Amino acid sequence: MTVRRPHPIEVRSFEILRSRVDLSPMPPLWRAVAERVIHSSADLEYAVDLQTREEDLERGLAALRAGAPIVTDVGMVAAGITARETVCHVNDPAAARMARAAGITRSAAAVRLAYAEVGPGAVWVVGCAPTALFEILARGVAPALVIGLPVGFVGAAESKEALRAGGLPQLSNVSEKGGSAVAAAAANALLYYEGEPR
């Protein structure tokens, strides 16, 4: 395993972050995710906005370490996940055809295509499309973890609330904010994590 050596700017950024918000009471994986999300967004409110359980993150970490596939809702999330290849079918012509035929969004169709490819046990990372989260719930994808951080005024907060209520292992946030960079940062936090869970 290659040891990751962060750039000095990243190191200094984390020093500044830690001087502004104390995340030390959080369990280790939750803290690692919160720090990387805050680092990627410069938004300290994520310290209280993120919702998860440490055991959910432990399950996701174990799956990633075992080689579980990572599925993203959009290419921007896929581009931000730097340590692993991902599965993303939103730009697949088959997703466009399925979306038209079924009267659903391309993101929802991409979830159907991806699930047919990867099956249960994947880590799903949603940073853009609330409809992708709703489709993950509707499909019963049996994920290792769902990182659900879509952004927007239409359906984003509601989809994340549904994810939390659905009982799946998850990381989400309460507010309407989120986005591709934040979702990718949360996934990267697990991929970069070098310690052992608690």
Side-chain angles (χ1 to χ4, degrees), residues 71-146:
V71 182
T72 69
D73 64 327
V74 293
M76 291 282 288
V77 176
I81 297 174
T82 55
R84 288 264 298 276
E85 293 296 316
T86 64
V87 174
C88 181
H89 285 297
V90 75
N91 291 324
D92 187 324
R97 289 192 301 273
M98 182 186 293
R100 281 192 302 274
I104 58 176
T105 67
R106 272 190 5 223
S107 295
V111 166
R112 294 181 185 185
L113 291 174
Y115 185 55
E117 178 181 336
V118 304
V123 173
W124 295 75
V125 187
V126 177
C128 181
T131 56
L133 270 189
F134 285 126
E135 190 66 25
I136 287 167
L137 290 164
R139 289 284 118 197
V141 302
L145 178 69
V146 177

Side-chain angles (χ1 to χ4, degrees), residues 8 16 40 86 103 111 113 156 165 173-174 178-179 189:
I16 293 168
S40 75
T86 64
V111 166
L113 291 174
N173 68 307
V174 175

Side-chain angles (χ1 to χ4, degrees), residues 26-36 52-62 65 171 186 189-191 193-198:
M26 289 179 167
L29 286 173
W30 194 333
R31 181 173 60 248
V33 169
E35 283 188 344
R36 190 147 296 277
T52 191
R53 299 180 315 154
E54 188 74 356
E55 51 265 37
D56 290 354
L57 298 178
E58 289 169 355
R59 181 177 172 169
L61 177 64
R65 287 181 172 176
L171 167 79
L190 295 177
L191 290 165
Y193 191 77
E194 294 176 355
E196 290 304 316
R198 60 181 174 153

